[in-house]
Amino acid sequence: HGMQNVIYLSPQDKPASEDTLVYLISHASRETAKISWDEFRKDPEWKKAQMESEKNGKLVTKVESTFFDPTDYSPI
């Protein structure tokens, strides 16, 4: 869906280490990010995988989304 996975991270310290996943995804722009996420949420394969993974209850209780720009001194 046009998303580029950059990194997935788990916190080291409790309580966040027990139930938090942080990930960075790259998009060409905010608009393409919106389109990509909208298409992803509608994807029948994703809907099926989500239903199967949540048979015993929701996996996600909260989602936070933040857009970032690299600094001038960033190696990226």
Side-chain angles (χ1 to χ4, degrees), residues 9-76:
L9 305 158
S10 296
Q12 292 182 354
D13 300 320
K14 291 184 179 186
S17 63
E18 297 172 338
D19 65 0
T20 302
L21 171 68
V22 177
Y23 58 92
L24 182 63
I25 297 176
S26 176
H27 303 275
S29 68
R30 285 184 96 137
E31 182 58 31
T32 59
K34 180 185 179 325
I35 292 167
S36 293
W37 279 111
D38 288 346
E39 289 176 359
F40 175 75
R41 283 188 283 271
K42 294 178 200 173
D43 186 307
E45 288 183 44
W46 162 243
K47 287 182 177 184
K48 181 181 176 188
Q50 182 183 26
M51 284 178 47
E52 289 176 13
S53 68
E54 294 183 340
K55 284 180 182 175
N56 296 319
K58 287 263 187 206
L59 296 177
V60 177
T61 57
K62 179 175 136 183
V63 174
E64 294 182 27
S65 178
T66 305
F67 287 87
F68 294 97
D69 288 318
T71 61
D72 291 342
Y73 49 87
S74 174
I76 293 178

